[in-house]
Amino acid sequence: MAYDSQELLRQFGRLMRTFKQQGFSAMSNRSRQFWAKQPERGAFRVLHLLHKQDQLTNSQIVEALDIRPSSVSVMVKKLEDDGLVERHESPDDKRVSLISLTEKGQALITSSHDFKNEFADSLFDGLDAAEQEQLGTLLAKLTDSLQDKFKKWDDGAERPEFFDNMPEQFYRGHGFGPWGGHGHHGHHGHRPDFRGFGGFGSDSDKPSKD
């Protein structure tokens, strides 16, 4: 017998609600302290690239990250001022500057990796190794399927009929039902808001056994 898809959706919503209501609050203090010390996202990409490639020129960073040369120059200068990267002459061409991580920059990358590893280990330690592997496989399969499906739905291809028959209270603009909140207009006057999974996962959403 196939697993009840409504129960699967309820459990998924329960997971999202747990993250929103408890998880983010529980880890917010430590994460704020950690990320407050980190460079901005673009600069962090430069650090990770240098960690993998050891040393690169400005133009090589531009090509690898597909960022404007002026943006790379600004980020590298900021990282250099912060003591995270350093420039030195290329042994092959003294006109060329090579950029590499300093000890401080390397330590920052290491601490970032350690933080993410500890967080991941703590997050999934309720599952044994086999269960974690199975979950990873299933989540990857589900994500690939949904990306393809949502693209077709958004393009109007293979759009399910149930969208056209959706009960009015399910629309975001009415502030109740599984999504709730105040929305913007879309197809047929409103667009459902799937981001919050507001009602999914609550005890009241669990189907009766009667």
Side-chain angles (χ1 to χ4, degrees):
M1 180 178 178
Y3 190 80
D4 185 356
S5 60
Q6 281 291 325
E7 175 63 12
L8 191 61
L9 183 60
R10 192 186 76 83
Q11 291 296 343
F12 183 76
R14 182 167 171 249
L15 174 63
M16 296 297 100
R17 287 163 60 86
T18 299
F19 260 106
K20 181 179 179 181
Q21 297 176 357
Q22 296 175 274
F24 293 138
S25 175
M27 68 182 183
S28 62
N29 289 335
R30 183 182 177 188
S31 63
R32 274 199 300 266
Q33 293 171 2
F34 176 79
W35 291 113
K37 303 175 183 177
Q38 311 307 309
E40 295 181 356
R41 183 174 179 273
F44 219 110
R45 292 179 64 200
V46 173
L47 293 178
H48 276 288
L49 180 64
L50 292 173
H51 174 69
K52 294 178 181 179
Q53 301 293 334
D54 190 30
Q55 55 184 16
L56 295 170
T57 64
N58 247 52
S59 59
Q60 287 173 327
I61 295 175
V62 168
E63 182 177 357
L65 299 182
D66 192 24
I67 302 176
R68 293 193 305 271
S70 58
S71 298
V72 169
S73 296
V74 170
M75 285 189 289
V76 169
K77 179 63 168 62
K78 179 66 167 59
L79 292 172
E80 189 175 16
D81 291 343
D82 291 341
L84 299 173
V85 302
E86 59 186 0
R87 301 174 190 263
H88 50 92
E89 292 181 349
S90 168
D92 300 323
D93 188 344
K94 295 186 181 299
R95 297 170 299 176
V96 176
S97 292
L98 294 175
I99 303 163
S100 61
L101 293 178
T102 62
E103 289 187 8
K104 181 180 178 181
Q106 185 62 54
L108 179 62
I109 293 295
T110 299
S111 68
S112 172
H113 288 168
D114 290 345
F115 177 84
K116 289 188 289 185
N117 288 337
E118 290 174 13
F119 176 62
D121 289 344
S122 178
L123 193 64
F124 298 108
D125 64 5
L127 304 175
D128 63 32
E131 289 170 333
Q132 289 183 29
E133 182 177 0
Q134 183 181 29
L135 177 62
T137 299
L138 292 175
L139 287 176
K141 182 177 181 180
L142 177 62
T143 300
D144 290 342
S145 171
L146 291 179
Q147 285 178 339
D148 180 61
K149 184 175 299 184
F150 289 160
K151 184 178 186 303
K152 291 178 180 178
W153 290 2
D154 196 46
D155 292 343
E158 302 181 18
R159 181 178 172 82
E161 291 184 3
F162 63 75
F163 274 126
D164 298 325
N165 300 320
M166 187 180 295
E168 186 68 15
Q169 66 267 27
F170 275 59
Y171 285 103
R172 182 183 180 189
H174 286 262
F176 59 96
W179 296 284
H182 299 286
H184 51 274
H185 295 284
H187 295 292
H188 306 291
H190 295 89
R191 176 178 294 177
D193 176 15
F194 295 94
R195 294 175 297 176
F197 291 90
F200 296 132
S202 64
D203 291 336
S204 61
D205 190 58
K206 189 172 183 179
S208 172
K209 295 182 180 180
D210 296 336

